[in-house]
């Protein structure tokens, strides 16, 4: 069976072929080039693991700056009360719905998904900064 090239380029080529013709190999119209696709996926997963190494984490100063800016630009938060140590409930007067909106804005800003179980534990700007600065997928 003829495989598709390795790496992300091979995965992209296989995806393009599959979306047009089912990613079929040259010798059989019924058999998909699964090995080529899986080989590309394996290489992709290895490169994704390398990309999430501690060296690719965002700097805490950058995360702090972006979160403070995000909080200050949120319409229902008083910008004068925002600080890196502000409590969402006591200092910023956020209720549960406001908390959800802030978490959604943070997810969008940093291209991450914060599970509800984790979001419920985050009660201060400092907790949020620590969570994002240690999140391997934060961008």
């Amino acid at each position: 069976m003829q495989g598709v090239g390795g790496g992300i380029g091979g995965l992209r080529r296989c995806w393009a072929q599959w979306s047009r013709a089912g990613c079929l190999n040259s010798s059989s119209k019924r058999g998909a080039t699964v090995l080529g696709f899986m080989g590309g996926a394996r290489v992709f997963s290895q490169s994704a693991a390398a990309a999430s190494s501690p060296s690719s984490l965002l700097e805490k100063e950058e995360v702090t700056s972006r979160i403070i800016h995000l909080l200050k630009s949120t319409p229902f938060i008083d910008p004068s009360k925002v600080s890196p140590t502000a409590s969402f409930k006591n200092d910023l007067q956020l209720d549960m719905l406001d908390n959800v909106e802030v978490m959604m804005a943070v997810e969008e800003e940093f291209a991450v998904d914060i599970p509800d179980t984790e979001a419920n534990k985050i009660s201060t700007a400092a907790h949020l900064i620590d969570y994002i600065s240690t999140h391997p997928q934060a961008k």
Side-chain angles (χ1 to χ4, degrees), residues 4 25-26 66 69 75 78 83 93 95-97 102 113 120 123 125-126 131-132 137 139:
V4 178
N25 69 23
S26 60
R66 288 169 63 186
H69 176 72
D78 179 356
S83 75
Q93 306 299 311
D95 60 22
M96 285 180 60
L97 181 58
V102 166
D113 188 29
N120 292 336
S123 61
Y131 181 84
I132 296 297
Q137 281 85 33
K139 296 177 185 175

Side-chain angles (χ1 to χ4, degrees), residues 69-86:
H69 176 72
L70 184 141
L71 292 172
K72 285 184 175 184
S73 64
T74 302
F76 52 84
I77 295 177
D78 179 356
S80 67
K81 302 207 180 212
V82 174
S83 75
T85 59

Side-chain angles (χ1 to χ4, degrees), residues 12 15 48 56 62 94 103 113 128 133:
R12 284 186 185 142
W15 178 254
S56 67
E62 178 188 352
L94 301 184
M103 291 303 149
D113 188 29
L128 185 55
S133 63

Side-chain angles (χ1 to χ4, degrees), residues 31-49:
T33 54
V34 174
L35 292 177
F37 182 81
M38 293 303 290
R42 181 174 26 79
V43 171
F44 176 75
S45 66
Q46 290 168 347
S47 65

